[in-house]
Amino acid sequence: MYIGVDGSKNQWVAALLEGTKEGTTIRYVQVEHLEELWAEFGTACRKLLIDMPLGLSSSGKRRCDELVMDILGPANKKRCFHAPSYNALEEWRRLSHADSEGVPSLSPRERYNAINGINVKETQLNLTPPGYALVPRIANVRDFVLSIADRSMVSEAHPEVCFIALSNRGSFSSKHHLPGLFERLAVIQAEIPNYINDLANGGNRVWNNVSAKMDDVLDATVLALTARMMMENPASIRRITNEPPINDLSGIPIEIVYAQQQSQFQ
């Protein structure tokens, strides 16, 4: 089984992919915590890709974020954001722990200033609203990864990069509008020939009461497809990373992965 995971409001939507291109089955589940997903499907999983920062820099911006923005181009680079620094996240942990211990809380503005001050010192960047809002979720995902015996089973990936790598397109329309959804559906249909038919006829068997938005479901799907390609054809693996590659202070690689039969980004 290959799993792609994308955030959906306060939950996660996961695409569970089995079989080969000639005989693929896919279904979706939605969970509040990744530990729930792993408890049920971890033993069958060969690779899990997730759209969330994992390895965090403690000195400078993450090079992988900058390179992804280059790949997406000026018109679409906002589909990627700079991850918080390692120690900015650790400050969030410290303040959250203090809150739980009954230590007088900082105001929301003071809390942001404390965390952002560290981020600016380490990356020379202010935390954007989307980046700051995701700090708790990033912390939870990192805890999940660090709890797995074989951490290499989980990697960070960016759905937009994966869609580009699996297609002949240089970019895609907004996933929040119908043209962009159809463009992405075409890429998935090329990899899973029965995909649209199954969605049309499978009903709850495919969706399993998933309430996630279509764009989140498609993002999770392309991550699962990428995970399969990586495992079935290791030569297809591409890593967007520093040169030489580095790990963060917890030992998690600072990288974004994708799969490409013939690299179009190098």
Side-chain angles (χ1 to χ4, degrees), residues 157-211:
H158 194 290
E160 290 296 294
V161 173
C162 293
F163 272 116
I164 291 172
L166 290 179
S167 70
N168 293 319
R169 304 181 65 96
S171 64
F172 287 78
S173 303
S174 171
K175 65 181 183 179
H176 302 297
H177 301 291
L178 280 177
L181 292 176
F182 284 131
E183 290 167 5
R184 289 164 176 79
L185 274 169
V187 175
I188 294 171
Q189 177 74 10
E191 296 296 323
I192 309 175
N194 60 328
Y195 185 71
I196 293 176
N197 183 66
D198 283 353
L199 289 187
N201 299 313
N204 288 335
R205 180 182 63 79
V206 177
W207 292 101
N208 197 27
N209 298 318
V210 166
S211 61

Side-chain angles (χ1 to χ4, degrees), residues 85-134:
S85 75
Y86 182 94
N87 288 304
L89 184 136
E90 290 304 303
E91 178 67 2
W92 175 87
R93 288 186 190 277
R94 187 188 70 79
L95 293 173
S96 298
H97 179 72
D99 289 344
S100 68
E101 294 294 313
V103 176
S105 299
L106 299 177
S107 70
R109 171 54 60 181
E110 291 171 331
R111 189 183 186 92
Y112 170 80
N113 287 341
I115 296 170
N116 186 58
I118 294 173
N119 198 75
V120 171
K121 181 179 179 180
E122 295 191 333
T123 69
Q124 293 75 57
L125 292 171
N126 286 304
L127 277 170
T128 63
Y132 182 64
L134 283 176

Side-chain angles (χ1 to χ4, degrees), residues 48-61:
L48 184 153
L49 296 186
I50 187 166
D51 179 21
M52 191 61 60
L54 296 180
L56 301 178
S57 174
S58 54
S59 177
K61 294 175 282 188

Side-chain angles (χ1 to χ4, degrees), residues 11-264:
Q11 295 189 312
W12 302 97
V13 60
L16 311 176
L17 183 73
E18 297 182 276
T20 64
K21 185 172 181 178
E22 290 69 29
T24 295
T25 60
I26 190 165
R27 59 192 176 99
Y28 301 95
V29 297
Q30 205 161 333
V31 296
E32 185 174 353
H33 303 291
L34 291 173
E35 288 79 6
E36 302 171 49
L37 182 73
W38 200 250
E40 186 167 358
F41 303 107
T43 55
C45 179
R46 295 188 63 197
K47 185 70 178 179
L48 184 153
L49 296 186
I50 187 166
D51 179 21
M52 191 61 60
L54 296 180
L56 301 178
S57 174
S58 54
S59 177
K61 294 175 282 188
R62 294 203 318 172
R63 181 61 176 149
C64 55
D65 292 333
E66 295 181 305
L67 292 173
V68 165
M69 291 177 190
D70 289 343
I71 290 170
L72 298 181
N76 298 308
K77 69 178 183 179
K78 289 185 178 180
R79 295 177 186 173
C80 178
F81 66 91
H82 288 283
S85 75
Y86 182 94
N87 288 304
L89 184 136
E90 290 304 303
E91 178 67 2
W92 175 87
R93 288 186 190 277
R94 187 188 70 79
L95 293 173
S96 298
H97 179 72
D99 289 344
S100 68
E101 294 294 313
V103 176
S105 299
L106 299 177
S107 70
R109 171 54 60 181
E110 291 171 331
R111 189 183 186 92
Y112 170 80
N113 287 341
I115 296 170
N116 186 58
I118 294 173
N119 198 75
V120 171
K121 181 179 179 180
E122 295 191 333
T123 69
Q124 293 75 57
L125 292 171
N126 286 304
L127 277 170
T128 63
Y132 182 64
L134 283 176
V135 167
R137 184 166 265 196
I138 294 170
N140 291 339
V141 175
R142 284 173 51 82
D143 288 344
F144 163 70
V145 173
L146 292 170
S147 73
I148 297 174
D150 183 1
R151 299 178 193 170
S152 67
M153 293 185 67
V154 181
S155 296
E156 175 184 348
H158 194 290
E160 290 296 294
V161 173
C162 293
F163 272 116
I164 291 172
L166 290 179
S167 70
N168 293 319
R169 304 181 65 96
S171 64
F172 287 78
S173 303
S174 171
K175 65 181 183 179
H176 302 297
H177 301 291
L178 280 177
L181 292 176
F182 284 131
E183 290 167 5
R184 289 164 176 79
L185 274 169
V187 175
I188 294 171
Q189 177 74 10
E191 296 296 323
I192 309 175
N194 60 328
Y195 185 71
I196 293 176
N197 183 66
D198 283 353
L199 289 187
N201 299 313
N204 288 335
R205 180 182 63 79
V206 177
W207 292 101
N208 197 27
N209 298 318
V210 166
S211 61
K213 296 184 298 181
M214 174 63 84
D215 61 281
D216 294 330
V217 170
L218 297 184
D219 283 350
T221 304
V222 78
L223 294 181
L225 287 169
T226 299
R228 181 172 71 181
M229 184 180 292
M230 290 174 63
M231 297 305 293
E232 291 185 348
N233 180 13
S236 72
I237 298 173
R238 304 289 185 268
R239 303 182 187 278
I240 306 173
T241 184
N242 291 59
E243 291 296 340
I246 59 173
N247 295 344
D248 74 7
L249 295 177
S250 295
I252 299 176
I254 303 175
E255 65 180 10
I256 295 173
V257 303
Y258 67 97
Q260 180 69 55
Q261 297 290 6
Q262 293 181 344
S263 177
Q264 64 192 81

